[in-house]
């Protein structure tokens, strides 16, 4: 797994989130996909996703464009952290 991609995801998410201490990242590696699930506090969901999902879409575009062609594909899911 490419640590730089995960660092990029963390940087973008933590730029918009207010409760940085309550963010959890789950990484699951499958056959040809690496799924990154970002678990946020309910109050940070709208800030990180953005209006009409623009920030989330931009994050996914950044991740896709910075992933080397020879490596596995990354997917980014943003979910509410249920405690």
């Amino acid at each position: 797994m490419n640590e730089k991609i995960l660092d990029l995801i963390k940087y973008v998410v933590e730029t918009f989130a207010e409760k940085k201490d309550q963010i959890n990242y789950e990484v699951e590696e499958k056959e040809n996909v690496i799924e990154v699930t970002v678990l946020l506090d309910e109050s940070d969901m709208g800030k990180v996703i953005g209006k009409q999902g623009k920030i989330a879409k931009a994050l996914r575009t950044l991740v896709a464009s910075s992933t080397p062609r020879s490596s596995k594909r990354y997917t980014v899911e943003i979910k509410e952290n249920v405690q």
Side-chain angles (χ1 to χ4, degrees):
M1 188 182 96
N2 194 337
E3 289 296 321
K4 290 183 181 180
I5 304 293
L6 191 56
D7 290 341
L8 174 67
I9 294 169
K10 287 180 181 180
Y11 175 77
V12 172
V13 169
E14 291 175 9
T15 299
F16 295 100
E18 287 183 8
K19 297 181 179 177
K20 294 170 181 42
D21 58 327
Q22 295 184 12
I23 301 172
N24 291 319
Y25 300 92
E26 294 178 355
V27 180
E28 188 176 338
E29 211 163 325
K30 294 187 177 178
E31 216 173 286
N32 59 350
V33 177
I34 298 174
E35 293 180 356
V36 180
T37 305
V38 181
L39 299 168
L40 299 167
D41 187 73
E42 181 184 2
S43 63
D44 284 334
M45 288 291 292
K47 296 175 188 112
V48 173
I49 293 173
K51 286 187 180 180
Q52 297 176 344
K54 288 185 180 182
I55 295 171
K57 185 176 179 184
L59 173 63
R60 290 183 181 107
T61 302
L62 276 172
V63 168
S65 65
S66 60
T67 304
R69 287 181 190 244
S70 59
S71 78
K72 295 182 177 184
R73 189 172 58 89
Y74 281 79
T75 62
V76 180
E77 287 291 322
I78 301 171
K79 296 183 178 179
E80 184 178 333
N81 195 356
V82 181
Q83 295 177 343

